[in-house]
Amino acid sequence: MLSKWLITIEENDVKVETVIEKTELVEGGTLNGSVYITTEDENDFDKIDFIALNVLIVQANGVQNIIAKHSFQLVGNIHSKDAEIVPFELIPDDRWICNEDEHLIFKTKVVFLDGTEFEEQGFIYYHME
């Protein structure tokens, strides 16, 4: 099992990479990482409306429920060398506990001002001690 992983979305001359520091969490731990946004042109940052980070619990029948979320806009941020790093931290609670037929997904979604959306996801694990 990977202890660290990367989600990459490349669209509209913008590259968004989400790095998760630990995909296997235990009670009392936090889900943390960083989102790296890079562009060829400094003005391309303005193409992004917002970026959403979601943790979903997926039931055996395929129903997905958001149990944690974090979103941010790049408006007014200072960009250095055509890149920006946005750290994040999500704190698990009781909703993160899965039954045998359920699992957790971490999803990064990039929404552009033209209305297009792109998302990538991966599995994370939460264990009670």
Side-chain angles (χ1 to χ4, degrees), residues 19-31:
V19 177
I20 302 288
E21 294 301 323
K22 238 194 238 185
T23 59
E24 190 163 340
L25 307 168
V26 294
E27 184 178 13
T30 60
L31 175 66

Side-chain angles (χ1 to χ4, degrees), residues 64-84:
Q64 298 181 1
N65 294 311
I66 296 174
I67 57 173
K69 59 185 173 180
H70 177 70
S71 63
F72 55 91
Q73 294 182 310
L74 302 178
V75 176
N77 291 341
I78 298 171
H79 311 291
S80 171
K81 295 187 179 182
D82 299 325
E84 181 164 340

Side-chain angles (χ1 to χ4, degrees), residues 101-116:
D101 57 348
E102 298 174 326
H103 59 275
L104 296 175
I105 291 177
F106 181 89
K107 186 180 291 189
T108 298
K109 177 167 59 171
V110 180
V111 179
F112 291 92
L113 286 173
D114 65 5
T116 57

Side-chain angles (χ1 to χ4, degrees), residues 40-65:
E40 296 277 329
D41 181 348
E42 182 178 312
N43 295 322
D44 288 339
F45 286 107
D46 296 335
K47 293 179 180 179
I48 297 174
D49 186 9
F50 67 93
I51 297 173
L53 308 174
N54 294 317
V55 176
L56 300 99
I57 190 163
V58 181
Q59 299 171 359
N61 61 5
V63 173
Q64 298 181 1
N65 294 311

Side-chain angles (χ1 to χ4, degrees), residues 77-100:
N77 291 341
I78 298 171
H79 311 291
S80 171
K81 295 187 179 182
D82 299 325
E84 181 164 340
I85 301 170
V86 180
F88 65 89
E89 181 177 274
L90 297 170
I91 300 171
D93 60 27
D94 296 359
R95 298 172 297 161
W96 292 48
I97 300 169
C98 293
N99 297 326
E100 289 180 23

